[in-house]
Amino acid sequence: MRRVELVTRWARELDQVIYLARSRDDIEHALTSALDDVVRTLTADPFRPERAAVVAERLVELGLTSSESLERSIEVLGKGMPHLPELDGIDAAAEKLVRVLSTMARGFSDGMRQRLFDEQEGLTRALIQARENAERALSDSEARFEEIFSTSSVGMAISDLDGTLLRTNRALAAILGHRGPLSAARLEDLFHAEDAEYLRLRYQVLLEDDSLPFRERRRLLREDGEEALVFLSASVLRDPDGTPRYFVTSAEDVSDKHLLEGQLQFQATHDVLTGLANRSRFTGRLEEALRGSCSHDDVTVFHLDLDGFRTVNNGLGRDAGDRLLQTVASRLREVFGEESATVARFDGDEFAVLVENTPATPSIASLAARINDELAEPVYIGEHGVAATATIAVMHRPPHDALPAEILRATDLTLQRLKTTGRRQWGVVDAEANERDRELFSLASSMPGAWENGEIALEYQPLVSAADRRPVALQALLRWNHPDYGRLDHTRCLEALAETGLAMPIGRWMLDQACTQLSGWAARSDEPLPKLYVELSTELAGDPDLIATVHGVLTAAHLEPERLRLGMPVQALCRVDGLAEDNLDVLTDLGMEVVLYEFGNSRGDLACLEDLPVHAVKMAGKVVSRVARQGDNALFTRSIRQLVPLIRDSGTPVIVGNVDSQAQYDWWRAIGVDALQGDFTGTTASSHDTEHLFVA
């Protein structure tokens, strides 16, 4: 969003709640200037939110003198400013914006108070002037006084020096909830009981010391017994010779402004839907618990993410989802009701709880189980009983020097890892695992730039015949020459790739590069080269444009389909949508060999093999490593020993990768596999070294 769009929206919203006696161009020019000042305040270093108060005071001068105009302004700026490009990359931009908007609200109130104070001062001067000119223009002065006194929006009372009320206006009666004239006889009858003695002394000092008029926030009593919050001002009306005659008291009703300030403060620190603390409030409480004046030595942070919440939103609608979130909030309050705890909703279906532990606080395991037991109880939305479970990451006794952002980052990484293992999981933050995940995410975030800069290239490893180690195919693999971590192999590249949106473009690039390089080697070689083997990602295997991509790559490289062998993952071919299976059928019809890789991870793999026209299967790396780890007598190893002949009896060759030792090579060859691949079977080499090996 651009600033001009935000200013236009701001002006349009103000048109609906207030009339400004200015042209639209003047209004938008003034709002543009105000927005520029707010942006400068947010981007300034050091950050000083108090500068925004001046902006609010200028808006009051513009004519924004109603609480509705303030509400609309805060709403428009609060929703629109986070999308301004000028705020991209600013640290803690959301928290800074909340502080700036709160400062503007206070500045607005101060500006309004000053404006009304000026009116009151003018009124007092008019009263004094009227008294001084009484003999010269008594009738005119009385008429002027009566007009100001009666029509003022500020409540006013004139009393004698002992506090007896002589005159009050309609505005004061309205502030105190009276339909007619005030029934009170004395000024002190209007004051709240807790303020009455102080104000009596304050009026006495005003009279005796000839001091300046005072102006304070105080409480008056309404007719219904409730309180009216006002800015109370008082001054002494004197004769021309200086003799005090009357007290002039004015009351500006600020109840609505006070309520609005409270609402803004609550909205800045709480979630509107559930009433729980928001992320900003939670991090503040966590900071206080770790290092504040009331810090606690034993705290625990629970970070929750609801399982399958999107299903409720998509299946029953957002109203049902909101109802479920409110129920979750209520039940979390109940679970931790007897603890000193702060329960918060961060965003979407993400919650957090900060517990200040006592000797009576249950164990982490008990609290995690209690959370899911409570959430599992259905709440009925119409005829549908909806419940939730949660995945929970726990950090117990975080270091006191840890920053809240670091703690929540650690629990968030743990959450992501736990959710890969299923629903209704909980676990304590593992620093070592988090460090591995953090490194992985760092690699993933830098992968687009690395690909663009040419750091990612191809290398090749042979698949060899189990019988005589003769190369039967060359597999194209990714290699990343990382400036910090050095050479990253194909497996590490795939792990990082899974966290990006580059699986499709890099997969197509890898296929094109491999075919082009093989074509070049074949043109320079006198001997036939092994076939090219490329494993497709799950996304690329199910790509509706895969056939066109493969056809275009082969045509550009002048290769026959028989020269290319493609790998498709089992999980892609077992999907319900059937796109990968349709691609498989077309590829085999074109004469291309397709290998079913990542085989052996689930019971459904054999059924998948039986239904598909694949050329071969390649055992999953986890299967190979488990066999090597457990030994020949393990039940799993014996089942694999039986599985391989069963596959080969169906006429399907078996390929095994990740072979790293002679013992592994001998074991797999002994049970009858057809081809093997790994560091022991053939050295992985760059494209240049591979060409040198096969092209004399």
Side-chain angles (χ1 to χ4, degrees):
M1 175 182 290
R2 296 181 303 169
R3 294 194 197 184
V4 64
E5 297 172 352
L6 184 55
V7 167
T8 302
R9 183 181 301 175
W10 191 1
R12 186 168 58 247
E13 290 292 326
L14 292 177
D15 279 345
Q16 300 177 15
V17 297
I18 194 169
Y19 170 73
L20 300 176
R22 299 189 180 208
S23 69
R24 184 61 176 265
D25 288 341
D26 288 345
I27 294 172
E28 291 191 356
H29 178 75
L31 295 181
T32 298
S33 177
L35 180 59
D36 291 342
D37 288 342
V38 173
V39 171
R40 280 192 291 270
T41 300
L42 286 169
T43 56
D45 187 11
F47 173 61
R48 294 179 178 174
E50 62 272 10
R51 295 175 176 173
V54 179
V55 178
E57 293 172 3
R58 290 212 310 271
L59 293 178
V60 173
E61 294 174 0
L62 178 65
L64 304 186
T65 58
S66 69
S67 58
E68 291 86 359
S69 63
L70 174 61
E71 285 182 298
R72 292 293 178 94
S73 297
I74 295 296
E75 180 179 357
V76 169
L77 295 178
K79 290 181 178 179
M81 290 196 67
H83 302 290
L84 292 177
E86 295 91 334
L87 302 186
D88 288 346
I90 295 179
D91 293 337
E95 297 178 14
K96 290 181 177 179
L97 180 57
V98 168
R99 293 179 62 187
V100 166
L101 294 181
S102 298
T103 302
M104 286 185 62
R106 291 195 299 271
F108 179 87
S109 298
D110 293 342
M112 281 296 299
R113 287 194 298 270
Q114 186 60 47
R115 181 180 181 130
L116 291 172
F117 181 70
D118 293 341
E119 290 182 359
Q120 295 162 19
E121 287 296 302
L123 179 58
T124 300
R125 287 194 296 270
L127 291 171
I128 295 173
Q129 186 67 36
R131 181 65 178 172
E132 291 176 348
N133 297 333
E135 295 181 358
R136 291 174 296 174
L138 180 60
S139 59
D140 290 344
S141 297
E142 288 179 348
R144 188 182 310 113
F145 166 78
E146 188 64 33
E147 177 69 18
I148 295 175
F149 188 85
S150 300
T151 61
S152 174
S153 61
V154 177
M156 300 196 68
I158 299 176
S159 59
D160 60 20
L161 299 182
D162 66 0
T164 302
L165 288 173
L166 303 177
R167 291 283 306 273
T168 59
N169 67 354
R170 289 192 298 269
L172 183 60
I175 291 173
L176 299 179
H178 290 261
R179 295 185 178 180
L182 293 181
S183 58
R186 297 185 58 79
L187 184 62
E188 62 189 35
D189 295 338
L190 306 180
F191 303 149
H192 190 279
E194 296 178 1
D195 294 341
E197 180 62 22
Y198 166 79
L199 289 174
R200 185 185 66 79
L201 294 174
R202 194 72 177 83
Y203 274 83
Q204 189 66 29
V205 170
L206 180 66
L207 179 63
E208 294 176 353
D209 293 352
D210 195 21
S211 58
L212 294 174
F214 72 83
R215 189 166 183 268
E216 300 178 2
R217 181 180 290 197
R218 290 294 165 186
R219 293 168 293 175
L220 302 183
L221 286 178
R222 290 172 50 86
E223 186 178 32
D224 56 10
E226 296 295 325
E227 300 175 1
L229 188 64
V230 300
F231 266 106
L232 194 69
S233 301
S235 59
V236 178
L237 187 63
R238 301 176 183 273
D239 285 338
D241 61 1
T243 303
R245 294 296 303 274
Y246 306 103
F247 286 123
V248 179
T249 303
S250 62
E252 171 201 347
D253 188 1
V254 294
S255 299
D256 290 342
K257 295 183 180 66
H258 180 70
L259 178 61
L260 178 58
E261 289 177 1
Q263 290 174 341
L264 288 172
Q265 181 64 25
F266 183 84
Q267 291 174 7
T269 58
H270 290 76
D271 173 55
V272 177
L273 178 64
T274 63
L276 297 178
N278 61 12
R279 180 184 289 270
S280 176
R281 174 62 175 161
F282 184 87
T283 54
R285 285 289 300 115
L286 181 54
E287 178 77 25
E288 293 172 9
L290 293 175
R291 288 181 293 277
S293 58
C294 298
S295 61
H296 200 277
D297 292 333
D298 186 2
V299 300
T300 303
V301 175
F302 294 81
H303 195 164
L304 295 77
D305 194 80
L306 300 186
D307 302 321
F309 178 71
R310 183 180 299 177
T311 304
V312 176
N313 260 354
N314 294 341
L316 300 179
R318 292 194 174 274
D319 288 343
D322 289 348
R323 174 75 182 281
L324 179 59
L325 291 174
Q326 291 169 336
T327 301
V328 169
S330 175
R331 291 179 179 177
L332 287 176
R333 287 193 187 99
E334 293 176 4
V335 169
F336 295 94
E338 297 181 0
E339 306 298 328
S340 176
T342 300
V343 184
R345 178 191 174 209
F346 284 174
D347 193 15
D349 57 349
E350 192 177 353
F351 294 81
V353 184
L354 169 64
V355 181
E356 299 179 7
N357 298 306
T358 67
T361 300
S363 66
I364 294 172
S366 298
L367 287 172
R370 189 184 300 176
I371 289 171
N372 270 313
D373 289 344
E374 289 293 330
L375 297 187
E377 185 68 26
V379 55
Y380 282 87
I381 302 173
E383 298 179 353
H384 303 282
V386 179
T389 59
T391 299
I392 308 170
V394 183
M395 179 172 277
H396 185 52
R397 294 178 179 173
H400 283 270
D401 59 350
L403 296 176
E406 294 174 348
I407 295 172
L408 294 178
R409 183 183 181 189
T411 56
D412 190 56
L413 287 171
T414 302
L415 266 182
Q416 295 181 50
R417 186 166 59 254
L418 289 172
K419 291 182 79 70
T420 63
T421 63
R423 298 187 174 192
R424 196 168 177 168
Q425 304 293 311
W426 77 272
V428 178
V429 169
D430 183 336
E432 292 184 3
N434 276 4
E435 185 59 34
R436 291 194 298 270
D437 289 345
R438 189 174 291 110
E439 179 181 314
L440 175 61
F441 294 143
S442 175
L443 289 174
S445 64
S446 62
M447 199 169 201
W451 183 37
E452 182 73 21
N453 296 333
E455 295 175 16
I456 298 176
L458 296 186
E459 61 185 13
Y460 297 87
Q461 188 174 62
L463 280 69
V464 302
S465 168
D468 55 13
R469 294 200 181 188
R470 178 178 54 84
V472 295
L474 283 176
Q475 181 176 354
L477 304 171
L478 291 173
R479 180 188 66 203
W480 185 353
N481 297 314
H482 197 281
D484 297 324
Y485 298 106
R487 177 186 174 277
L488 302 179
D489 62 14
H490 185 69
T491 300
R492 195 65 173 147
C493 288
L494 292 183
E495 290 175 352
L497 191 61
E499 302 298 331
T500 72
L502 296 176
M504 296 275 276
I506 287 186
R508 296 191 187 104
W509 169 82
M510 181 179 178
L511 185 62
D512 177 74
Q513 288 288 303
C515 288
T516 300
Q517 290 176 359
L518 180 67
S519 177
W521 299 340
R524 294 188 291 274
S525 175
D526 296 330
E527 300 293 334
L529 299 182
K531 292 184 177 183
L532 176 64
Y533 174 50
V534 180
E535 290 182 347
L536 305 179
S537 65
T538 300
E539 294 84 357
L540 191 55
D543 181 15
D545 296 326
L546 176 63
I547 303 302
T549 298
V550 173
H551 182 268
V553 166
L554 292 176
T555 300
H558 306 291
L559 287 180
E560 296 296 325
E562 294 80 7
R563 300 293 301 149
L564 179 62
R565 181 182 292 181
L566 292 177
M568 285 191 168
V570 175
Q571 56 266 38
L573 290 166
C574 292
R575 284 186 172 178
V576 177
D577 57 30
L579 291 177
E581 186 175 347
D582 292 342
N583 287 336
L584 170 61
D585 291 336
V586 176
L587 292 172
T588 54
D589 289 343
L590 293 174
M592 200 171 304
E593 296 178 355
V594 177
V595 176
L596 189 63
Y597 76 92
E598 285 297 310
F599 190 87
N601 279 328
S602 66
R603 297 177 181 178
D605 291 2
L606 277 175
C608 190
L609 172 62
E610 186 178 20
D611 297 336
L612 299 174
V614 297
H615 169 75
V617 300
K618 185 179 180 184
M619 303 301 293
K622 290 182 179 179
V623 172
V624 179
S625 60
R626 185 172 178 180
V627 168
R629 185 175 63 254
Q630 293 186 348
D632 203 41
N633 294 323
L635 177 61
F636 180 79
T637 303
R638 295 200 301 271
S639 67
I640 296 300
R641 185 188 291 274
Q642 296 171 356
L643 177 62
V644 170
L646 186 63
I647 298 171
R648 297 188 76 250
D649 287 345
S650 69
T652 306
V654 178
I655 303 170
V656 175
N658 303 93
V659 177
D660 300 325
S661 67
Q662 181 67 47
Q664 282 183 280
Y665 185 96
D666 293 341
W667 191 90
W668 287 103
R669 183 179 62 178
I671 67 171
V673 301
D674 298 272
L676 299 104
Q677 176 197 15
D679 292 341
F680 188 77
T681 63
T683 303
T684 303
S686 67
S687 59
H688 175 76
D689 294 336
T690 302
E691 179 183 13
H692 180 74
L693 180 65
F694 287 101
V695 180

